[in-house]
Every structure is written in C-alpha cells, then in structure tokens.
Amino acid sequence: MLVRDAMSTVVLTIGPTHTLRQAARLMAARRVGAAVVLDTDADNLGILTERDILISVGTGQDPDLETAGTHTTTDVVFAAPSWTLEEAAEAMSHGGFRHLIVLDGTGPVGIVSVRDIIRCWAPVRRHQTTLVS
C-alpha cells in the first residue's frame, strides 16, 4: 500500500505569524494533528504539530503571544505519494516524528500520520491472522 492511499488530503496550511492558540483552534476544528506552516517571505515550508503546541504551553509560554513560526519544525522529511507505507513508517521511526508532509511537483498534497498507517495496516493484519487460524 502506498502513502497516497493512506494520507489525509485535508492539509491545514497556516502562516508563521499565526499564534499557537489560532493554530490549535484551526487544528481542532479540522480534527488534524499537524499544520503545514508556509512562510512565503522565506520560501520555506515546515510543520507545526499538536506536540509542539503542548510543549510550549507546558513550559508556561503564552499561546496568545507565541507564534507558529517560532515553534515550526523546518528540518522536515517529506514523503512522496508513491512511497510505500513501510518507507513512511521507517522515516517516522528513524526521525522520531508522527507526521510526514506529502509533496508532489506542485507542493503539499497531503499529510500521512502514524494513525493513518495503522488504520491501513490493521485490517490487513486482522485478515492475515484469520487466514492463519
């Protein structure tokens, strides 16, 4: 199975000047765990995750003053829609993260998460277990 089969095509894109509270509200409203942060001035693409927001709030920072740009991961590993789920899972495991931005030639087309991969693999494993029993 490929990344394109598992990825969410709901890509929340925000700017680096969004506050963490604004980002959290948008992420919650769309029920996503990550947002693509697009800084058109710097021609840069990064990711802000729920974990980034949690760490900031947990250390006492004000989510109304902290911006997405300050907490964005810019050293991002990107996936291609044609990657296998095994390749995506390996990249996540190796990098210690739970989301990959999926890029094609035109830019971000999706996000694949650990949850997406598990959702795809679980029925396959259940089927394989049934065949063995």
Side-chain angles (χ1 to χ4, degrees):
M1 190 170 274
L2 302 178
V3 164
R4 75 169 50 92
D5 303 318
M7 70 183 191
S8 171
T9 56
V10 176
V11 180
L12 173 60
T13 303
I14 62 173
T17 60
H18 277 79
T19 67
L20 292 187
R21 185 175 309 278
Q22 290 170 323
R25 281 187 179 142
L26 291 167
M27 290 164 66
R30 287 166 179 79
R31 301 181 55 111
V32 296
V36 172
V37 181
L38 180 58
D39 186 349
T40 54
D41 292 337
D43 195 30
N44 199 10
L45 190 66
I47 191 167
L48 178 75
T49 67
E50 56 197 359
R51 182 183 295 172
D52 298 323
I53 295 170
L54 182 66
I55 290 169
S56 175
V57 171
T59 59
Q61 296 177 333
D62 186 341
D64 292 313
L65 298 177
E66 294 296 314
T67 63
T70 305
H71 298 276
T72 296
T73 300
T74 55
D75 184 21
V76 180
V77 174
F78 298 101
S82 60
W83 277 19
T84 65
L85 293 186
E86 288 82 7
E87 289 172 307
E90 185 177 320
M92 290 176 184
S93 177
H94 180 73
F97 43 82
R98 298 179 296 174
H99 298 85
L100 286 170
I101 299 172
V102 183
L103 294 180
D104 71 2
T106 62
V109 293
I111 292 184
V112 66
S113 70
V114 170
R115 182 178 294 167
D116 295 326
I117 293 172
I118 291 170
R119 181 177 38 80
C120 290
W121 281 350
V124 171
R125 288 197 171 261
R126 210 174 8 249
H127 179 70
Q128 289 172 343
T129 304
T130 305
L131 291 176
V132 173
S133 299

